[in-house]
């Protein structure tokens, strides 16, 4: 999600040292963005095709979730969950800075970026209420506005602040989820009497979540799109604020890290390739090993509600950062020089990432909603992954031919026109 033209009022203090924008830099960003937007579908597919709670907790599945599906949960947790969102957050931060570079070149300041993010937030609201409540665009708009406060810092300070902020957020997540797991999953005879009532309250929370999952499934069976929207508006409108509050402690720091890595030259070959490769593999392997250990322990414990919650939000935050940074380092090396049929199509999917992200939600709505394809709650975890493969093929099939004829993806073009308040030519 990048833009390349700006045009309003300058502010001298807004302008740190310039960063040369090379073709390799843009190619690398597009390639990584393409990987991320495809990977996000693999992460979100359970939330599309099953009750939203099943994304984290396999007990919310409406289809059997046996031993084979448990191992699939492990594979997704290790390879995908959180890592693709992390990549997107890093790239969003890099894109914010790239946009501002173009603004500074034309003597402009932050006002146009603010306008751009406000429209992104509106897209997010439409996505959340009318298409799918797993939206991240509203969160990104809010975190992006906050990130602008730090845009004038040096790259070193952005990196340091991002890392410290992420670690602080990880401690917050761990402190708010791991104690719940330790209390809820402890054998009943080991729970102190003073904690018994709180433990019972945790189990009531699980029942409430599963009851909401049943309501969602029943609404899909009614084949009523207005009823699904009404449920989101009346029962889940507050999820937006909760999402911004909770995930901002991860998303904003990652955006700052992404800005810094962009300015250090990671995406354009400005860093020593050997060091980047070694650091990338070290982060990926170390973080992957820790994440695998967490996944295996969580599976061994029975994939309980609070066990999976703590695995996602508490235990895995630091290993996830290691893996995300390792992935972005390795993909930056490969992306700038990726050639061939598949690489060019992945890069095209990345250039149209905004359209592919929202378009995927629309396609999933047509596949799963009761009023459309009607497959909601019908497919097992393994079958849902087949839908992912088919949708990946669709992404790769349309993006490159479209961009061969048009300058931007459809929604990229609309976002651009709204941002600048004028109509840009679309056809080449």
């Amino acid at each position: 999600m990048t833009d390349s033209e700006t045009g309003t009022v300058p502010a001298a203090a807004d302008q740190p040292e310039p960063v040369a924008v090379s073709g390799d830099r843009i190619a690398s960003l597009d390639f990584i963005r393409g990987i991320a937007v495809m990977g996000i579908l693999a992460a979100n597919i359970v939330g599309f095709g099953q009750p939203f709670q099943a994304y984290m907790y396999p007990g919310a599945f409406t289809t059997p979730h046996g031993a084979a599906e448990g191992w699939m949960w492990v594979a997704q947790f290790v390879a995908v969950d959180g890592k693709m969102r992390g990549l997107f957050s890093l790239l969003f931060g890099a894109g914010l800075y790239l946009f501002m570079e173009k603004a500074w070149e034309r003597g402009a300041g932050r006002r146009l970026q603010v306008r751009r993010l406000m429209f992104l937030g509106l897209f997010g609201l439409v996505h959340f209420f009318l298409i799918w409540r797993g939206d991240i665009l509203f969160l990104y708009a809010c975190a992006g506005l906050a990130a602008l406060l730090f845009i004038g810092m040096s790259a070193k300070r952005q990196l340091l602040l991002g890392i410290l902020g992420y670690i602080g957020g990880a401690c917050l997540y761990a402190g708010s989820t791991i104690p719940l797991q330790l209390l809820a999953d402890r054998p009943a005879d080991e729970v102190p009497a003073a904690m018994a009532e709180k433990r019972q309250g945790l189990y009531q929370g699980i029942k409430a979540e599963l009851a909401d999952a049943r309501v969602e499934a029943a609404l899909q069976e009614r084949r009523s799109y207005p009823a699904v929207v009404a449920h989101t508006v009346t029962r889940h409108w507050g999820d937006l604020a909760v999402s911004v509050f909770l995930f901002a402690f991860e998303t904003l720091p990652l955006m700052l890290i992404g800005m810094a890595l962009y300015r250090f030259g990671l995406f354009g070959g400005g860093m020593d390739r050997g060091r980047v490769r070694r650091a990338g593999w070290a982060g990926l392997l170390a973080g992957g090993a820790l994440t695998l250990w967490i996944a295996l322990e969580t599976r061994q414990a029975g994939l309980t509600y609070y066990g999976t919650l703590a695995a996602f939000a508490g235990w895995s935050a630091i290993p996830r950062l290691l893996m995300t940074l390792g992935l972005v380092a390795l993909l930056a090396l490969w992306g700038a020089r990726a050639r061939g049929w598949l690489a060019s199509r992945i890069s095209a999917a990345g250039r149209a990432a905004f359209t592919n992200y929202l378009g995927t939600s629309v396609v999933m709505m047509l596949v799963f909603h009761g009023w459309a394809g009607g497959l909601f709650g019908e497919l097992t975890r393994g079958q849902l992954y087949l839908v992912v493969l088919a949708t990946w093929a669709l992404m790769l099939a349309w993006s490159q031919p479209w961009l061969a004829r048009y300058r931007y993806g459809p929604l990229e073009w609309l976002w651009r026109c709204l941002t600048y308040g004028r109509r840009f030519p679309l056809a080449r």
Side-chain angles (χ1 to χ4, degrees), residues 150-204:
F150 308 97
I151 199 85
M153 283 186 172
S154 68
K156 290 182 179 179
R157 288 187 177 181
Q158 286 174 344
L159 181 63
L160 179 61
L161 185 61
I163 292 173
L164 292 177
Y166 188 98
I167 293 172
C171 293
L172 175 66
Y173 298 142
S176 60
T177 59
I178 293 175
L180 301 182
Q181 176 196 13
L182 298 178
L183 177 59
D185 293 351
R186 183 185 299 183
D189 58 357
E190 297 180 12
V191 177
M195 302 298 291
E197 184 177 350
K198 183 173 182 179
R199 186 173 188 267
Q200 187 60 32
L202 294 179
Y203 281 105
Q204 291 299 323

Side-chain angles (χ1 to χ4, degrees), residues 189-253:
D189 58 357
E190 297 180 12
V191 177
M195 302 298 291
E197 184 177 350
K198 183 173 182 179
R199 186 173 188 267
Q200 187 60 32
L202 294 179
Y203 281 105
Q204 291 299 323
I206 298 174
K207 291 180 181 178
E209 287 292 315
L210 294 181
D212 185 73
R214 289 192 293 271
V215 169
E216 186 178 1
L219 289 173
Q220 295 293 352
E221 290 176 2
R222 285 172 53 186
R223 300 178 179 272
S224 173
Y225 173 69
V228 173
V229 173
H231 177 71
T232 300
V233 172
T234 58
R235 295 285 296 275
H236 293 285
W237 63 270
D239 291 359
L240 278 172
V242 172
S243 172
V244 170
F245 174 75
L246 290 179
F247 286 101
F249 293 100
E250 175 190 85
T251 304
L252 176 57

Side-chain angles (χ1 to χ4, degrees), residues 274-284 322 325-326 329:
R275 293 179 64 182
V276 170
R277 183 180 295 107
R278 289 190 294 273
W281 280 115
L284 186 61
L322 295 175
L325 293 177

Side-chain angles (χ1 to χ4, degrees), residues 44-394:
N44 289 344
I45 188 61
V46 172
F48 282 121
Q50 289 282 338
F52 198 76
Q53 294 79 359
Y55 174 87
M56 177 194 75
Y57 176 48
F61 263 76
T62 60
T63 54
H65 201 280
E69 286 77 17
W71 285 111
M72 293 179 195
W73 181 93
V74 169
Q76 178 170 328
F77 181 82
V78 174
V80 177
D81 287 329
K83 271 68 73 177
M84 299 301 111
R85 187 179 68 247
L87 282 179
F88 235 51
S89 301
L90 291 171
L91 294 175
F92 196 90
L96 284 176
Y97 201 88
L98 172 60
F99 185 96
M100 290 307 304
E101 283 183 324
K102 297 300 181 181
W104 293 322
E105 286 177 2
R106 292 163 174 80
R110 308 181 199 192
R111 194 164 66 185
L112 195 64
Q113 180 72 278
V114 170
R115 178 182 170 93
R116 179 173 177 258
L117 291 170
M118 295 293 287
F119 277 113
L120 181 67
L122 289 177
F123 278 113
L125 291 175
V126 171
H127 186 215
F128 180 90
F129 287 110
L130 300 182
I131 303 174
W132 188 57
R133 60 186 174 95
D135 171 73
I136 61 171
L137 299 178
F138 185 78
L139 164 66
Y140 275 40
C142 294
L145 289 171
L148 288 180
L149 299 175
F150 308 97
I151 199 85
M153 283 186 172
S154 68
K156 290 182 179 179
R157 288 187 177 181
Q158 286 174 344
L159 181 63
L160 179 61
L161 185 61
I163 292 173
L164 292 177
Y166 188 98
I167 293 172
C171 293
L172 175 66
Y173 298 142
S176 60
T177 59
I178 293 175
L180 301 182
Q181 176 196 13
L182 298 178
L183 177 59
D185 293 351
R186 183 185 299 183
D189 58 357
E190 297 180 12
V191 177
M195 302 298 291
E197 184 177 350
K198 183 173 182 179
R199 186 173 188 267
Q200 187 60 32
L202 294 179
Y203 281 105
Q204 291 299 323
I206 298 174
K207 291 180 181 178
E209 287 292 315
L210 294 181
D212 185 73
R214 289 192 293 271
V215 169
E216 186 178 1
L219 289 173
Q220 295 293 352
E221 290 176 2
R222 285 172 53 186
R223 300 178 179 272
S224 173
Y225 173 69
V228 173
V229 173
H231 177 71
T232 300
V233 172
T234 58
R235 295 285 296 275
H236 293 285
W237 63 270
D239 291 359
L240 278 172
V242 172
S243 172
V244 170
F245 174 75
L246 290 179
F247 286 101
F249 293 100
E250 175 190 85
T251 304
L252 176 57
L254 286 175
M255 287 183 181
L256 295 180
I257 294 171
M259 285 185 191
L261 293 178
Y262 171 80
R263 296 172 69 186
F264 285 135
L266 173 66
F267 303 105
M271 299 175 69
D272 180 80
R273 290 178 59 84
R275 293 179 64 182
V276 170
R277 183 180 295 107
R278 289 190 294 273
W281 280 115
L284 186 61
L285 294 176
L290 290 170
T291 305
L292 177 60
W293 175 77
I294 295 166
L296 294 176
E297 289 293 314
T298 306
R299 177 185 173 276
Q300 182 67 27
L303 296 175
T304 64
Y305 180 89
Y306 288 104
T308 54
L309 173 63
F312 271 89
W315 296 108
S316 65
I318 297 301
R320 183 165 62 244
L321 176 63
L322 295 175
M323 288 191 71
T324 302
L325 293 177
L327 276 171
V328 79
L330 295 175
L331 290 173
L333 292 179
W334 300 333
R337 292 165 172 75
R339 301 292 184 268
W341 180 88
L342 182 59
S344 63
R345 288 187 176 261
I346 290 174
S347 295
R351 287 173 58 201
F354 189 26
T355 300
N356 276 316
Y357 174 73
L358 282 178
T360 294
S361 293
V362 173
V363 171
M364 295 300 101
M365 182 173 66
L366 295 176
V367 169
F368 292 112
H369 273 218
W371 59 269
L375 291 180
F376 184 87
E378 298 293 326
L379 303 184
T380 65
R381 185 182 284 272
Q383 291 168 334
L384 289 172
Y385 293 145
L386 296 179
V387 176
V388 172
L389 293 176
T391 310
W392 283 354
L394 179 62

